[in-house]
Amino acid sequence: TEHPFRSLNEALTFGRTQRVGSHSVFTIEMLRDYAIPTNDVMSINKAGENITLTTAAKSGCRYTFNGSGDKAVISRGSARTAFATVGGGATFSLDTISFDGGNVSLSDKGSIIKTDNGSVTLVGNVDFSNASGSYGAAIYVKSGTFTASAEDSRVDNMFTNCKSVNGGGAIYIEKGSLNLANTKFLQCSSTTGTDQGGGGVFCDKDTVNSVVHNCTFDSCTAPKAKAGALRTLGTNLTFEDCIVRSCSASGDGGAVSHYANNSDKLKGST
């Protein structure tokens, strides 16, 4: 059943009333582009929640997407915090949607999405651009899992021009796991943090597994640290069938820097 709402939190509140047993499983479809005001930041933090945010179809439904592009763009209005926070064991999935941080420099970790004891999944055709923050400009995982795994039939996910002051130009994993596939990182950077780096992605020592498959890192940099594309301090790195192009760093690993004592798998990348 379709129900229109004027804000993300109105949709979130209504969806929570439609519980199936102890779980809230529902989809919020964007009908237009949207600049997030301060009072409409989403907090997805209830156990059993499984919420998907996507763009509505352009035809065939009572309510349809009327934006100018092929998918809704959620941009930074007056909000000066992350667009969404995820915790409490909840799951937040994104599909066919764009986020634009507006190049607003924030001191926050994860200026678009942050999670602590939650899961974030990019289903496919999800873009993050112009994010700026202290650690993980677009995505910051204090604890939990981050998955970007576009299906073969879908358009790749993309991070463009995401810049962190410290580690992880686009993504920072402090504790948990990372599973990346079919994702592109373009012109992302870790700008000044000398002990961090990872112009595209940084995984700290408590990251249990880091899987990066069929991804592209293009023109990503860490001008004062290690690893222009990916830096990991955690265990069990799989890095395969990836393309790294024109990435650079001042320290070790113009492309990848990995330090751990466990089993790792690097193959088929150029």
Side-chain angles (χ1 to χ4, degrees):
T1 303
E2 298 178 65
H3 299 273
F5 300 96
R6 293 184 178 275
S7 72
L8 290 170
N9 273 287
E10 284 182 7
L12 187 62
T13 299
F14 177 82
R16 285 172 171 158
T17 68
Q18 311 300 302
R19 299 179 71 87
V20 178
S22 60
H23 299 279
S24 290
V25 181
F26 58 92
T27 297
I28 299 173
E29 297 184 346
M30 300 301 297
L31 302 178
R32 58 182 176 86
D33 298 335
Y34 185 57
I36 289 190
T38 301
N39 63 355
D40 204 24
V41 171
M42 300 177 71
S43 181
I44 301 166
N45 58 7
K46 299 184 183 299
E49 286 189 333
N50 190 335
I51 298 168
T52 299
L53 181 65
T54 187
T55 299
K58 282 201 165 186
S59 62
C61 299
R62 180 180 178 186
Y63 301 101
T64 57
F65 176 62
N66 61 4
S68 58
D70 63 341
K71 55 192 171 187
V73 177
I74 297 180
S75 59
R76 188 177 301 285
S78 57
R80 291 297 179 266
T81 61
F83 293 2
T85 59
V86 185
T91 298
F92 187 37
S93 299
L94 305 169
D95 186 1
T96 313
I97 200 161
S98 293
F99 296 87
D100 189 338
N103 289 314
V104 176
S105 182
L106 302 180
S107 60
D108 273 7
K109 299 176 179 180
S111 70
I112 294 181
I113 296 175
K114 62 175 64 176
T115 180
D116 185 1
N117 186 28
S119 297
V120 175
T121 298
L122 309 187
V123 178
N125 196 15
V126 180
D127 297 341
F128 294 85
S129 62
N130 305 320
S132 181
S134 60
Y135 293 83
I139 306 288
Y140 181 84
V141 178
K142 183 175 182 180
S143 67
T145 62
F146 178 76
T147 301
S149 186
E151 299 173 3
D152 291 341
S153 60
R154 290 180 175 265
V155 178
D156 289 352
N157 303 300
M158 188 175 299
F159 293 82
T160 304
N161 192 37
C162 296
K163 299 178 180 180
S164 70
V165 174
N166 297 293
I171 301 169
Y172 189 108
I173 311 292
E174 182 175 334
K175 180 179 180 180
S177 62
L178 171 75
N179 190 335
L180 286 177
N182 306 316
T183 300
K184 295 179 180 179
F185 297 84
L186 309 177
Q187 298 178 327
C188 296
S189 63
S190 167
T191 58
T192 62
T194 57
D195 61 340
Q196 300 286 336
V201 180
F202 182 93
C203 297
D204 215 336
K205 62 183 184 298
D206 289 326
T207 305
V208 178
N209 290 295
S210 302
V211 178
V212 184
H213 173 73
N214 196 33
C215 292
T216 297
F217 297 83
D218 193 338
S219 304
C220 296
T221 62
K224 296 189 177 181
K226 299 179 180 181
L230 167 71
R231 186 178 185 195
T232 66
L233 302 180
T235 59
N236 300 332
L237 170 66
T238 299
F239 188 85
E240 58 184 359
D241 300 328
C242 295
I243 296 172
V244 181
R245 182 187 300 116
S246 301
C247 294
S248 63
S250 64
D252 298 340
V256 177
S257 175
H258 173 61
Y259 177 80
N261 296 319
N262 288 24
S263 60
D264 304 303
K265 181 180 179 182
L266 290 84
K267 71 173 188 177
S269 298
T270 58

